[in-house]
Amino acid sequence: MASCTYLNSSSSSSSSSSIMMLSKPKQPSIVPLNFLNTQHLSSSLSFKSLLITNNEKSVRFRCKQTNRFCSSIVASMDKSRVPLKIMISGAPASGKGTQCELITSKYDLVHVAAGDLLRAEVAAGSDNGKQAKEFMEKGQLVPDEIVVMMVKDRLSQPDSTEKGWLLDGYPRSSSQATELQSFGFKPDLFILLDVPQEILVDRVVGRRLDPVTGRIYHLTYSPPETEEIAARLTQRFDDTEEKVKLRLLTHNQNIESVLSMFEDITIKVDGSLPKEDVFATIDSALSDLIEKKNATLDMAAI
Ligand code: AP5
């Protein structure tokens, strides 16, 4: 049976009205009309009811003026055409990097990790890197003058624009969020990994990195596959019990102000579960998001 999405609206011109979207017939969900391109809808889509049939790549709707059914071919239903813009946040060692590995391998997004960008500067011995290291060693936020442009430049690269991006560990303050918005970077989804503090220290102390593949391991929860990998693993300079407590303090001081700016697009995920289970929740949210974004594009293509 073809999978269908039904959209119904009593009025197409009011931004306060809502559309009933039934992606699976038994699980209706209300999607605000302003999620769609309302300007386009109100000017060109004076519809009573709308049926999108994914398999047929067409859309059928009843015109208000004529009360007749019309149909239109939509450009493409290829899910890969929608570049996602995702932010992932959480306390130190909540599993951001681990989930980013899984997300990027399935969704092919460009992973932009503020911590990795900073560590690259530290390793290069640049002036920015020297300054940044002083703050990182104390578990404090590196000043915006260094971080903001670094992140903005990476998000502006052609690969991020074309494939979409997964921003890890940024923003960590309301000023960073505001700066990003001022450059026109607007996320579709904000993922918050929620992990009790008592688990975090254990995760940090046992974390190891593979300098060859960039993969993240844990001596207990995610041990290296071979002796050869085990022999080359390294530890981050800020991965000590003392330093993670300082990083946690900084996180706790800032997280509420960041969350308040992304409330409407935030999903909170239990990050204490095994990494595959954490990913399953994120994967499902991303699939839903792609479906909604495609529906929006399909409306605009009519
Ligand atoms: P950053 O590198 O971003 O560090 P962090 O935020 O402290 O986060 P981590 O990288 O430590 O942890 P993670 O959440 O990625 O966990 P992971 O997946 O590795 O930042 C470092 C420093 O840079 C900051 O302190 C700050 O000074 C500076 N900085 C960064 N961004 C900045 C910004 N925007 N502004 C200013 N300064 C900034 O997992 C951890 C361990 O747990 C691993 O061993 C993993 O195998 C294991 N694990 C993961 N998931 C699970 C699971 N579900 N079950 C069991 N084990 C798991």
Side-chain angles (χ1 to χ4, degrees), residues 20-91:
M20 170 93 76
M21 178 177 278
L22 302 176
S23 40
K24 287 175 193 150
K26 286 183 185 165
Q27 294 176 321
S29 62
I30 303 296
V31 176
L33 188 56
N34 61 10
F35 179 83
L36 300 173
N37 182 343
T38 34
Q39 201 182 3
H40 183 88
L41 276 177
S42 57
S43 62
S44 64
L45 231 194
S46 180
F47 64 89
K48 255 181 146 177
S49 64
L50 184 63
L51 165 65
I52 298 174
T53 311
N54 288 347
N55 293 358
E56 292 170 6
K57 300 183 179 179
S58 69
V59 75
R60 198 157 183 258
F61 55 94
R62 192 192 288 274
C63 184
K64 260 189 175 173
Q65 286 80 4
T66 62
N67 205 31
R68 284 189 170 171
F69 273 108
C70 312
S71 65
S72 169
I73 303 294
V74 288
S76 160
M77 300 296 275
D78 176 7
K79 304 288 185 230
S80 63
R81 72 201 153 108
V82 186
L84 297 180
K85 291 168 283 176
I86 310 297
M87 285 176 176
I88 186 162
S89 175

Side-chain angles (χ1 to χ4, degrees), residues 183-196:
F183 294 124
F185 294 104
K186 193 170 173 295
D188 302 307
L189 188 69
F190 188 99
I191 301 167
L192 176 69
L193 296 178
D194 189 30
V195 180

Side-chain angles (χ1 to χ4, degrees), residues 165-184:
W165 41 260
L166 174 60
L167 186 50
D168 166 1
Y170 186 105
R172 296 198 192 213
S173 64
S174 53
S175 66
Q176 290 186 1
T178 307
E179 294 264 22
L180 200 66
Q181 278 172 357
S182 75
F183 294 124

Side-chain angles (χ1 to χ4, degrees), residues 90-99 114-116 118-119 132 135-137 139-144 147 151 168-172 176 193 203-204 206-209 216-219 221-222 236 238-239 247 271-276 278:
S94 55
K96 300 182 292 295
T98 301
Q99 292 305 317
D116 288 348
L118 288 166
R119 276 184 290 277
F135 292 88
M136 292 167 85
E137 289 201 316
Q140 293 171 355
L141 294 186
V142 173
D144 286 2
V147 180
V151 169
D168 166 1
Y170 186 105
R172 296 198 192 213
Q176 290 186 1
L193 296 178
R203 283 195 186 175
V204 161
R207 171 168 47 196
R208 297 292 183 276
L209 304 170
I216 304 166
Y217 290 95
H218 190 282
L219 296 178
Y221 309 123
S222 188
R236 263 169 52 175
D238 56 351
D239 269 358
R247 277 151 60 197
S272 65
L273 299 173
K275 66 178 181 181
E276 295 79 11
V278 178

